[in-house]
Amino acid sequence: MSEMQAVFITGASSGIGEALAEAYAEPGVILGLAARRTDRLRSVADQCRKLGASVHCYTLDVRDAEGTRSVAKQFLRVARTIDIVIANAGVGQWKHPLDAQAEEFTAMVDVNVNGVINTLSAFTPTLAKQGHGQLVAISSIAGFRGLPSGVYSATKVAVRYLLDGWRLDLEPYGVGVTSIFPGYITSEMTYDATAWYPFLISAADAAHEMKRAIARRQRTVVLPWQWWLVLPFLRLVPSRIIGLLSRRRNAKSTIH
């Protein structure tokens, strides 16, 4: 790699974020890794340094807009440019509306929607000014169909349409926008070995697929590929079938 590439990733302490960090970690790459869990983040950073990347860690809660802007400024001071911003931080729980307080649902919205907005908007002016770069957000297959405990699906639909709109806004500035819709990925969210997860793939495999798609500046990425075959029929599945399947899952598991 002849020039340094600067990549910033949120939610980098585990799961897809950790796998993405390691996928991008190589000589000639400056990584900005952000997450709430500092100890785990440092462990990921150490591994990425062993792979040859220059790594800068930031303890960050993406719900904090001012804190996110501050972290973005810190990273830009050391990297001097930004090529790829990946808003990966997300949370999800299957919670019945009778079993949860409103605050539990709004907390999910704050991370999954406001966190994406805070992350991407912190870098957007720099990307537009330099006339190149790419914004990436991790949505979910759940963004294509309302599922039980619908707040999670709602947040992923919001991300889907947010990026569709920003893509139109930012295209004249040379800024690419990529929406990624993963299905079931091995992570803390799919820890129940007794549950059935269709088309389950490893976080490492998913990250490498994402990296290739981002390099091609794809607008929409659905993975693994089998979900492309399922999506046209997803809305046709009767709601009672969706409900039966969802009840087989652990209350804390979800699609990313």
Side-chain angles (χ1 to χ4, degrees):
M1 187 177 298
S2 58
E3 296 183 1
M4 297 291 285
Q5 183 181 43
V7 181
F8 187 87
I9 304 169
T10 63
S13 62
S14 65
I16 292 175
E18 177 181 3
L20 281 166
E22 293 184 2
Y24 278 101
E26 60 184 67
V29 172
I30 304 174
L31 280 178
L33 304 181
R36 289 183 290 180
R37 296 178 290 187
T38 304
D39 290 344
R40 297 194 62 164
L41 186 62
R42 287 173 178 165
S43 176
V44 174
D46 288 342
Q47 179 60 28
C48 291
R49 291 187 182 103
K50 291 177 183 177
L51 294 171
S54 172
V55 185
H56 302 271
C57 290
Y58 306 93
T59 302
L60 174 67
D61 185 336
V62 295
R63 295 174 296 182
D64 179 358
E66 182 56 39
T68 306
R69 282 192 293 270
S70 176
V71 163
K73 290 177 182 177
Q74 291 175 53
F75 181 65
L76 288 169
R77 277 198 294 268
V78 296
R80 300 182 180 276
T81 186
I82 182 68
D83 296 291
I84 301 170
V85 182
I86 304 178
N88 166 73
V91 296
Q93 289 184 321
W94 294 125
K95 288 272 189 175
H96 194 283
L98 297 179
D99 298 328
Q101 299 296 317
E103 290 84 353
E104 295 179 79
F105 292 129
T106 56
M108 200 183 309
V109 175
D110 282 342
V111 175
N112 293 0
V113 181
N114 296 336
V116 169
I117 294 172
N118 291 340
T119 300
L120 300 185
S121 63
F123 288 94
T124 299
T126 299
L127 290 167
K129 184 178 180 179
Q130 66 189 22
H132 67 83
Q134 200 154 358
L135 298 175
V136 182
I138 310 298
S139 181
S140 170
I141 292 298
F144 290 98
R145 169 69 188 252
L147 300 174
S149 184
V151 174
Y152 181 78
S153 294
T155 66
K156 295 307 183 179
V157 171
V159 171
R160 175 184 165 196
Y161 283 112
L162 170 69
L163 266 66
D164 284 349
W166 281 13
R167 185 176 296 113
L168 299 174
D169 294 330
L170 296 172
E171 189 173 26
Y173 296 90
V175 179
V177 177
T178 296
S179 307
I180 299 181
F181 302 90
Y184 292 105
I185 310 297
T186 53
S187 70
E188 293 174 342
M189 292 184 177
T190 54
Y191 68 90
D192 185 356
T194 65
W196 175 63
Y197 299 105
F199 315 131
L200 179 67
I201 62 172
S202 72
D205 287 344
H208 284 289
E209 287 293 328
M210 293 176 190
K211 182 181 178 182
R212 282 193 287 268
I214 292 168
R216 294 193 295 266
R217 292 175 68 89
Q218 282 185 225
R219 296 184 171 198
T220 302
V221 183
V222 174
L223 59 94
W225 65 267
Q226 290 93 335
W227 283 104
W228 278 117
L229 305 178
V230 174
L231 285 178
F233 306 99
L234 193 59
R235 290 188 179 276
L236 303 179
V237 177
S239 296
R240 65 180 180 275
I241 301 299
I242 297 290
L244 286 172
L245 290 173
S246 69
R247 282 194 287 274
R248 294 176 58 187
R249 307 215 174 279
N250 187 287
K252 292 185 178 179
S253 68
T254 185
I255 303 173
H256 184 90

